[in-house]
Amino acid sequence: MGRIVQKFGGSSVADAASIKRVARRILNAKLAGNEVVVVISAMGDTTDELMDLALQVSPQPKPRELDMLLTTGERQSAALLAMALSDLGAEAQSYTGSQAGVLTTGTHGNARIIDITPGRIEQALNAGNIVIVAGFQGVSQTTKDITTLGRGASDTTAVALAASLGAQYCEIYSDVDGVFTADPRIVPGAKQIPEISYEEMLEMAANGAKILHLRCVEYARRENVPVHVRSSFSDKPGTWVKDKSEGSKMEDAIISGVAHDRSEAKITVVGVPDQPGHAARIFETIGHADINVDMIVQNVSQVVSGRTDISFTLPMSDGRKAIEALQADREQIEFEDLLYDDQIGKVSVVGVGMRSHPGVTAKFFKALAEAGINIDMISTSEIRISVVVDVEQVDEAVRAAHTAFGLDSEGEAVVYAGTGR
């Protein structure tokens, strides 16, 4: 027995009964001899409801005040959980992110953790208390303002605390039984994965798998924190995300999973002069607008005109900003037109086994072809192949790839609360 960090998502603490159920699980971990630190998300859809309320009051709320508002959701659930534990006879103390020593950058809405100074947590643990920390938030090291870390970032809070406290591992509780080979809501026969490497989980998270926040996995790999993904609605063993070199018995399956993402859009810059420097100007403009680009494809140059088309994908939420930035620099870039398409989806197959198994690309593309799915763009890494398809065909593409690589199981995966987080 030792020190552990447990994180519970919003679906796990959606109402009073759920909070009491979670409190009993936490108490069992404490009674087993562990020092327990809990990171908690806002109840159910509280964050969305607070955001909607803010937009009703102000069409463009100031980011600082929005952070002040949104962080109240986690503070509410932390306090309620402490009350539930107290009624069970356990000593528990709740803390905001700033009280817990989570120091961040000053960017409101998407701050990054710089450091954690967990003095108060250590004192509470030494006194025999269960510590509850409001996730998703911290305090700016420079301005001392309250900040939020981005949607889903309670995972990152938990892993960062586990690293700073020297915890044995970090448990991430959601409403599914672990990491699956695909989204169980799309592929009912998806298999639960017992163990997966940081590398594979990073690719899965980066390409749309919502079970773990991307920055959480990055932090876990960097600090070598084992992450145990489990359901708060069952006692099933879940999935371990860990370094394969650390005594893991994992075998290299060709494909570990299929991920999908419907949150991207595509911009095509039409009629760009096919000369050195013009592509650089496009992506300098996008970079200065603080927009991340995913896939990039340049078409074959037209000999007659000496021009080419360059397409790239980006977060749909940044689409308008990207179009405005490119239009503002049109004279410098010298393009002819811009095309925007937000009716796309990305489907990715991920697996370290593809390094040593030729023919993975052919099998993936053949499965899509047989399902009548046209590929718009292609991107690869050493352990991932991603394609862009029509958004209406994403589900079908996921199922086709999942079946083609033999990932289907006879049983049916369960999403207990219906969200997959």
mmCIF file with all atom_site columns, all heavy atoms in Angstrom, residues 10 24 44 143 156 158 182 203 214 256 307 400:
data_model
loop_
_atom_site.group_PDB
_atom_site.id
_atom_site.type_symbol
_atom_site.label_atom_id
_atom_site.label_alt_id
_atom_site.label_comp_id
_atom_site.label_asym_id
_atom_site.label_entity_id
_atom_site.label_seq_id
_atom_site.pdbx_PDB_ins_code
_atom_site.Cartn_x
_atom_site.Cartn_y
_atom_site.Cartn_z
_atom_site.occupancy
_atom_site.B_iso_or_equiv
_atom_site.pdbx_formal_charge
_atom_site.auth_seq_id
_atom_site.auth_comp_id
_atom_site.auth_asym_id
_atom_site.auth_atom_id
_atom_site.pdbx_PDB_model_num
ATOM 1  N N   . GLY A 1 10  ? -16.851 14.005 -14.559 1.00 0.00 ? 10  GLY A N   1
ATOM 2  C CA  . GLY A 1 10  ? -18.164 14.573 -14.281 1.00 0.00 ? 10  GLY A CA  1
ATOM 3  C C   . GLY A 1 10  ? -19.287 13.566 -14.287 1.00 0.00 ? 10  GLY A C   1
ATOM 4  O O   . GLY A 1 10  ? -20.234 13.663 -13.496 1.00 0.00 ? 10  GLY A O   1
ATOM 5  N N   . ARG A 1 24  ? -17.659 6.167  -1.172  1.00 0.00 ? 24  ARG A N   1
ATOM 6  C CA  . ARG A 1 24  ? -17.420 4.828  -0.628  1.00 0.00 ? 24  ARG A CA  1
ATOM 7  C C   . ARG A 1 24  ? -16.214 4.171  -1.301  1.00 0.00 ? 24  ARG A C   1
ATOM 8  O O   . ARG A 1 24  ? -15.430 3.480  -0.639  1.00 0.00 ? 24  ARG A O   1
ATOM 9  C CB  . ARG A 1 24  ? -18.685 3.974  -0.797  1.00 0.00 ? 24  ARG A CB  1
ATOM 10 C CG  . ARG A 1 24  ? -19.831 4.376  0.135   1.00 0.00 ? 24  ARG A CG  1
ATOM 11 C CD  . ARG A 1 24  ? -20.957 3.360  0.115   1.00 0.00 ? 24  ARG A CD  1
ATOM 12 N NE  . ARG A 1 24  ? -21.672 3.367  -1.161  1.00 0.00 ? 24  ARG A NE  1
ATOM 13 C CZ  . ARG A 1 24  ? -22.708 4.138  -1.423  1.00 0.00 ? 24  ARG A CZ  1
ATOM 14 N NH1 . ARG A 1 24  ? -23.163 4.980  -0.521  1.00 0.00 ? 24  ARG A NH1 1
ATOM 15 N NH2 . ARG A 1 24  ? -23.311 4.062  -2.613  1.00 0.00 ? 24  ARG A NH2 1
ATOM 16 N N   . GLY A 1 44  ? -21.569 16.317 -13.644 1.00 0.00 ? 44  GLY A N   1
ATOM 17 C CA  . GLY A 1 44  ? -22.316 16.167 -14.888 1.00 0.00 ? 44  GLY A CA  1
ATOM 18 C C   . GLY A 1 44  ? -21.989 17.206 -15.932 1.00 0.00 ? 44  GLY A C   1
ATOM 19 O O   . GLY A 1 44  ? -20.843 17.359 -16.350 1.00 0.00 ? 44  GLY A O   1
ATOM 20 N N   . THR A 1 143 ? 0.431   36.560 -12.527 1.00 0.00 ? 143 THR A N   1
ATOM 21 C CA  . THR A 1 143 ? -0.656  37.500 -12.217 1.00 0.00 ? 143 THR A CA  1
ATOM 22 C C   . THR A 1 143 ? -1.424  37.150 -10.950 1.00 0.00 ? 143 THR A C   1
ATOM 23 O O   . THR A 1 143 ? -2.168  37.983 -10.430 1.00 0.00 ? 143 THR A O   1
ATOM 24 C CB  . THR A 1 143 ? -1.663  37.552 -13.383 1.00 0.00 ? 143 THR A CB  1
ATOM 25 O OG1 . THR A 1 143 ? -2.328  36.275 -13.487 1.00 0.00 ? 143 THR A OG1 1
ATOM 26 C CG2 . THR A 1 143 ? -0.959  37.868 -14.699 1.00 0.00 ? 143 THR A CG2 1
ATOM 27 N N   . THR A 1 156 ? -5.099  15.974 -16.442 1.00 0.00 ? 156 THR A N   1
ATOM 28 C CA  . THR A 1 156 ? -3.744  16.524 -16.359 1.00 0.00 ? 156 THR A CA  1
ATOM 29 C C   . THR A 1 156 ? -3.423  16.946 -14.930 1.00 0.00 ? 156 THR A C   1
ATOM 30 O O   . THR A 1 156 ? -2.316  16.716 -14.429 1.00 0.00 ? 156 THR A O   1
ATOM 31 C CB  . THR A 1 156 ? -3.590  17.715 -17.315 1.00 0.00 ? 156 THR A CB  1
ATOM 32 O OG1 . THR A 1 156 ? -3.998  17.318 -18.630 1.00 0.00 ? 156 THR A OG1 1
ATOM 33 C CG2 . THR A 1 156 ? -2.153  18.202 -17.362 1.00 0.00 ? 156 THR A CG2 1
ATOM 34 N N   . ALA A 1 158 ? -4.548  15.593 -12.257 1.00 0.00 ? 158 ALA A N   1
ATOM 35 C CA  . ALA A 1 158 ? -4.329  14.370 -11.469 1.00 0.00 ? 158 ALA A CA  1
ATOM 36 C C   . ALA A 1 158 ? -2.940  13.797 -11.713 1.00 0.00 ? 158 ALA A C   1
ATOM 37 O O   . ALA A 1 158 ? -2.230  13.430 -10.762 1.00 0.00 ? 158 ALA A O   1
ATOM 38 C CB  . ALA A 1 158 ? -5.393  13.332 -11.821 1.00 0.00 ? 158 ALA A CB  1
ATOM 39 N N   . ALA A 1 182 ? -11.891 0.991  -29.883 1.00 0.00 ? 182 ALA A N   1
ATOM 40 C CA  . ALA A 1 182 ? -12.617 2.041  -30.590 1.00 0.00 ? 182 ALA A CA  1
ATOM 41 C C   . ALA A 1 182 ? -13.673 2.578  -29.643 1.00 0.00 ? 182 ALA A C   1
ATOM 42 O O   . ALA A 1 182 ? -13.895 2.027  -28.558 1.00 0.00 ? 182 ALA A O   1
ATOM 43 C CB  . ALA A 1 182 ? -13.260 1.505  -31.877 1.00 0.00 ? 182 ALA A CB  1
ATOM 44 N N   . GLU A 1 203 ? -0.950  8.784  -29.370 1.00 0.00 ? 203 GLU A N   1
ATOM 45 C CA  . GLU A 1 203 ? -1.512  8.847  -30.722 1.00 0.00 ? 203 GLU A CA  1
ATOM 46 C C   . GLU A 1 203 ? -3.030  8.731  -30.682 1.00 0.00 ? 203 GLU A C   1
ATOM 47 O O   . GLU A 1 203 ? -3.741  9.433  -31.406 1.00 0.00 ? 203 GLU A O   1
ATOM 48 C CB  . GLU A 1 203 ? -0.924  7.741  -31.602 1.00 0.00 ? 203 GLU A CB  1
ATOM 49 C CG  . GLU A 1 203 ? 0.543   7.933  -31.961 1.00 0.00 ? 203 GLU A CG  1
ATOM 50 C CD  . GLU A 1 203 ? 0.753   8.968  -33.062 1.00 0.00 ? 203 GLU A CD  1
ATOM 51 O OE1 . GLU A 1 203 ? -0.197  9.722  -33.385 1.00 0.00 ? 203 GLU A OE1 1
ATOM 52 O OE2 . GLU A 1 203 ? 1.856   9.032  -33.611 1.00 0.00 ? 203 GLU A OE2 1
ATOM 53 N N   . LEU A 1 214 ? -5.075  14.669 -23.843 1.00 0.00 ? 214 LEU A N   1
ATOM 54 C CA  . LEU A 1 214 ? -3.763  14.531 -24.477 1.00 0.00 ? 214 LEU A CA  1
ATOM 55 C C   . LEU A 1 214 ? -2.629  14.991 -23.569 1.00 0.00 ? 214 LEU A C   1
ATOM 56 O O   . LEU A 1 214 ? -1.615  14.302 -23.414 1.00 0.00 ? 214 LEU A O   1
ATOM 57 C CB  . LEU A 1 214 ? -3.744  15.328 -25.789 1.00 0.00 ? 214 LEU A CB  1
ATOM 58 C CG  . LEU A 1 214 ? -2.401  15.369 -26.526 1.00 0.00 ? 214 LEU A CG  1
ATOM 59 C CD1 . LEU A 1 214 ? -1.941  13.968 -26.917 1.00 0.00 ? 214 LEU A CD1 1
ATOM 60 C CD2 . LEU A 1 214 ? -2.500  16.265 -27.760 1.00 0.00 ? 214 LEU A CD2 1
ATOM 61 N N   . SER A 1 256 ? -3.537  -1.406 -32.236 1.00 0.00 ? 256 SER A N   1
ATOM 62 C CA  . SER A 1 256 ? -4.092  -1.380 -30.884 1.00 0.00 ? 256 SER A CA  1
ATOM 63 C C   . SER A 1 256 ? -5.488  -0.785 -30.851 1.00 0.00 ? 256 SER A C   1
ATOM 64 O O   . SER A 1 256 ? -6.304  -1.143 -29.993 1.00 0.00 ? 256 SER A O   1
ATOM 65 C CB  . SER A 1 256 ? -3.183  -0.575 -29.949 1.00 0.00 ? 256 SER A CB  1
ATOM 66 O OG  . SER A 1 256 ? -1.944  -1.221 -29.786 1.00 0.00 ? 256 SER A OG  1
ATOM 67 N N   . ARG A 1 307 ? 1.128   27.486 -60.638 1.00 0.00 ? 307 ARG A N   1
ATOM 68 C CA  . ARG A 1 307 ? 0.511   27.606 -59.325 1.00 0.00 ? 307 ARG A CA  1
ATOM 69 C C   . ARG A 1 307 ? 0.080   26.237 -58.806 1.00 0.00 ? 307 ARG A C   1
ATOM 70 O O   . ARG A 1 307 ? -0.050  25.282 -59.572 1.00 0.00 ? 307 ARG A O   1
ATOM 71 C CB  . ARG A 1 307 ? -0.699  28.555 -59.367 1.00 0.00 ? 307 ARG A CB  1
ATOM 72 C CG  . ARG A 1 307 ? -0.301  30.011 -59.586 1.00 0.00 ? 307 ARG A CG  1
ATOM 73 C CD  . ARG A 1 307 ? -1.507  30.936 -59.657 1.00 0.00 ? 307 ARG A CD  1
ATOM 74 N NE  . ARG A 1 307 ? -1.084  32.324 -59.794 1.00 0.00 ? 307 ARG A NE  1
ATOM 75 C CZ  . ARG A 1 307 ? -0.895  33.155 -58.764 1.00 0.00 ? 307 ARG A CZ  1
ATOM 76 N NH1 . ARG A 1 307 ? -1.114  32.732 -57.529 1.00 0.00 ? 307 ARG A NH1 1
ATOM 77 N NH2 . ARG A 1 307 ? -0.503  34.388 -58.961 1.00 0.00 ? 307 ARG A NH2 1
ATOM 78 N N   . ALA A 1 400 ? -15.356 -0.284 -40.274 1.00 0.00 ? 400 ALA A N   1
ATOM 79 C CA  . ALA A 1 400 ? -14.674 -1.045 -41.324 1.00 0.00 ? 400 ALA A CA  1
ATOM 80 C C   . ALA A 1 400 ? -13.233 -1.338 -40.942 1.00 0.00 ? 400 ALA A C   1
ATOM 81 O O   . ALA A 1 400 ? -12.745 -2.473 -41.098 1.00 0.00 ? 400 ALA A O   1
ATOM 82 C CB  . ALA A 1 400 ? -14.728 -0.276 -42.643 1.00 0.00 ? 400 ALA A CB  1
#
